Amino acid sequence: MKYFELTEPEAAMPLALRLLETYGLRGGKRKFLQFQVTILWELLMIVIPKIVFGYRSQDLVIRGLSELLFQLHIMIRISIFAWHRFKYESLIDIIRKVYRKTFSTGGDPTSKSIILKFNQMINKQSKGYFLYIMGCVSLFSVAPVVQSVIIFMANQSRNGTEKAEYVTMMEQEFYGLDIRGNFGHYAIYVALAGLAHYYSASFFAVTGVIIICGVRCTILTFKLINVRLSKLHELPKQDIRDELREIIDLHVDALRCIQLLEQIANLAMVIQIIDCVLIWISMILYMRNNLGVDAISLMVLFVALTGETYALCDLLTQLTSESLAVTRAIIDCQWYSLPLDVQKSLSFVLFRAQRKEGITAAKFFFMDIERFGSVAQTSYSIYVVLKDQL
């Protein structure tokens, strides 16, 4: 498990960067070619068969579309990030600059301690999130294979007197192969499509980790601002102006991080909301009348998507709250006892800090817990209408 160990306590987002390098989103043209080949493989092994070859019956169309939407959600989101990967590098550079200034000679010991504790926390959270998502989506893919192997062995013990029907990882046909009745064809399908499903799970987890790390580091920057503002009035008068200058630079860096995150993720966020509504409705419609093993597999995707959407909305709510907390920190820093020119500079920071900051869904609305509740309520309302019509 050395891959997940925090070997550099003062490094900025080491796990996220390692994951990006592993999956071809960082490290030069050859690495990025690896990512492009992987996306093409997913397209050929999962998306095209589900679109082109249709489904066995009308009852399975809803399940197939649910899985297709989920797969497209993953591919679109990772592709959006790949398009904006250089902006993420700019975000990393800003965070590194903040860390470098904090750990330089004469840096605030409290800020150093906060960063070290934060790095331990974010490494554990990212590791837990990555393993949770990989576990959920892998369970979705592995369970049908295990079930099919058991069916094959049971059929062999009966000398093949009954025709076996094997369980596919997703509801789909596969380039004319008899993947449900012929175990040799099924093995070919698992070997080819299994790799695509692994990378699909990986991309789902990786995009979550990089967004979480980026937002968490931005929240940390605002916390450092608030800590330093709380100590501003305690400094000798000759040091106050230098400290305020550094605080203002830190605030500019934090706002720049939000701007970069907004550019990277705002389109992905609106797609996340739309896909959540569509996938939740289709999954619920299917599971309402199909409570078998297939429904359990589909429930895994439902739980993974819902959990991730809630976690993102909760985290972005914290980001907005922490950015607004700068106003309270300025008010509480005994500004009235500071020199007049310092008060004037603080008033500009206060004015800027009062503006609501966060990540939006394509600039339509801010992503937060309230929005998650609205999406869930809207999904249920549409489901109720469709249930009566179908």
Side-chain angles (χ1 to χ4, degrees):
M1 294 294 287
K2 289 184 178 180
Y3 186 87
F4 293 106
E5 289 179 0
L6 183 61
T7 55
E8 302 174 83
E10 299 177 6
M13 297 186 283
L15 178 58
L17 298 183
R18 211 169 302 143
L19 288 172
L20 291 177
E21 290 174 3
T22 300
Y23 293 101
L25 289 165
R26 196 167 187 263
K29 291 182 178 180
R30 181 173 293 182
K31 279 283 188 179
F32 190 61
L33 179 61
Q34 171 195 329
F35 166 76
Q36 292 173 309
V37 170
T38 304
I39 287 291
L40 179 61
W41 191 255
E42 287 185 45
L43 194 66
L44 292 173
M45 295 298 109
I46 302 176
V47 176
I48 290 178
K50 291 180 77 66
I51 294 175
V52 174
F53 299 111
Y55 304 100
R56 291 175 293 165
S57 67
Q58 289 292 105
D59 294 338
L60 295 172
V61 170
I62 294 178
R63 179 194 170 189
L65 290 177
S66 299
E67 294 168 344
L68 178 60
L69 285 170
F70 187 81
Q71 181 62 36
L72 289 174
H73 168 75
I74 295 172
M75 294 179 67
I76 291 171
R77 194 169 71 169
I78 194 69
S79 298
I80 289 172
F81 177 79
W83 181 262
H84 292 299
R85 65 190 185 280
F86 297 114
K87 292 180 181 177
Y88 198 77
E89 291 291 338
S90 300
L91 173 68
I92 294 167
D93 289 341
I94 293 173
I95 300 301
R96 281 176 174 161
K97 183 180 75 172
V98 172
Y99 278 29
R100 190 165 53 249
K101 284 185 177 181
T102 303
F103 286 103
S104 63
T105 304
D108 180 32
T110 304
S111 298
K112 292 179 183 178
S113 176
I114 289 173
I115 290 178
L116 291 174
K117 289 179 181 178
F118 168 81
N119 276 3
Q120 292 288 342
M121 179 271 293
I122 195 62
N123 187 67
K124 289 180 181 178
Q125 282 191 355
S126 300
K127 177 169 60 177
Y129 176 84
F130 182 80
L131 294 177
Y132 162 73
I133 294 297
M134 287 295 290
C136 283
V137 184
S138 297
L139 178 64
F140 173 83
S141 302
V142 172
V145 178
V146 173
Q147 186 181 359
S148 296
V149 171
I150 293 172
I151 292 171
F152 174 75
M153 294 175 65
N155 192 50
Q156 290 296 107
S157 66
R158 294 193 295 266
N159 297 319
T161 55
E162 298 179 8
K163 183 170 177 60
E165 183 175 347
Y166 305 115
V167 184
T168 57
M169 290 177 281
M170 282 188 173
E171 178 52 43
Q172 66 179 87
E173 301 302 319
F174 195 74
Y175 293 102
L177 296 180
D178 183 13
I179 57 177
R180 292 181 179 83
N182 185 310
F183 193 76
H185 289 187
Y186 182 80
I188 294 172
Y189 157 72
V190 170
L192 296 176
L195 183 63
H197 283 284
Y198 163 76
Y199 274 104
S200 179
S202 301
F203 288 152
F204 188 44
V206 167
T207 48
V209 168
I210 58 182
I211 293 173
I212 287 171
C213 286
V215 174
R216 283 284 187 194
C217 286
T218 306
I219 291 174
L220 170 69
T221 307
F222 281 111
K223 286 183 177 178
L224 295 177
I225 294 169
N226 294 335
V227 167
R228 296 179 72 164
L229 280 170
S230 67
K231 297 181 178 181
L232 189 62
H233 65 281
E234 300 174 1
L235 297 176
K237 287 190 175 182
Q238 62 271 20
D239 296 335
I240 288 177
R241 291 173 180 82
D242 290 338
E243 176 68 5
L244 179 59
R245 193 176 299 110
E246 291 189 13
I247 290 173
I248 292 173
D249 289 342
L250 201 57
H251 192 237
V252 170
D253 288 338
L255 295 175
R256 177 59 179 157
C257 285
I258 292 180
Q259 184 182 20
L260 287 169
L261 286 170
E262 168 72 7
Q263 293 171 1
I264 293 167
N266 67 23
L267 184 56
M269 289 297 107
V270 76
I271 291 172
Q272 177 105 10
I273 291 295
I274 294 171
D275 283 351
C276 275
V277 174
L278 296 175
I279 293 171
W280 287 350
I281 293 168
S282 57
M283 285 183 176
I284 294 171
L285 283 172
Y286 179 80
M287 291 185 289
R288 182 169 63 101
N289 298 318
N290 300 274
L291 293 176
V293 176
D294 293 343
I296 295 173
S297 298
L298 210 57
M299 179 63 77
V300 173
L301 297 186
F302 180 83
V303 170
L305 181 64
T306 303
E308 188 202 49
T309 305
Y310 177 83
L312 285 175
C313 288
D314 180 59
L315 193 59
L316 294 174
T317 301
Q318 294 179 41
L319 175 62
T320 299
S321 299
E322 203 63 43
S323 68
L324 293 174
V326 174
T327 60
R328 174 52 58 185
I330 293 173
I331 293 170
D332 292 342
C333 75
Q334 300 184 21
W335 56 269
Y336 46 82
S337 63
L338 300 175
L340 189 60
D341 60 319
V342 173
Q343 292 183 31
K344 187 175 181 180
S345 297
L346 279 174
S347 68
F348 287 115
V349 178
L350 178 64
F351 177 77
R352 183 62 184 82
Q354 289 175 325
R355 185 186 303 174
K356 185 176 181 179
E357 297 290 346
I359 297 178
T360 66
K363 300 188 182 299
F364 287 110
F365 48 77
F366 283 97
M367 292 287 290
D368 50 30
I369 287 294
E370 183 180 354
R371 184 59 53 183
F372 177 83
S374 299
V375 170
Q377 185 177 10
T378 300
S379 302
Y380 182 74
S381 299
I382 296 173
Y383 160 71
V384 169
V385 173
L386 289 177
K387 182 185 69 173
D388 296 334
Q389 299 297 322
L390 296 177

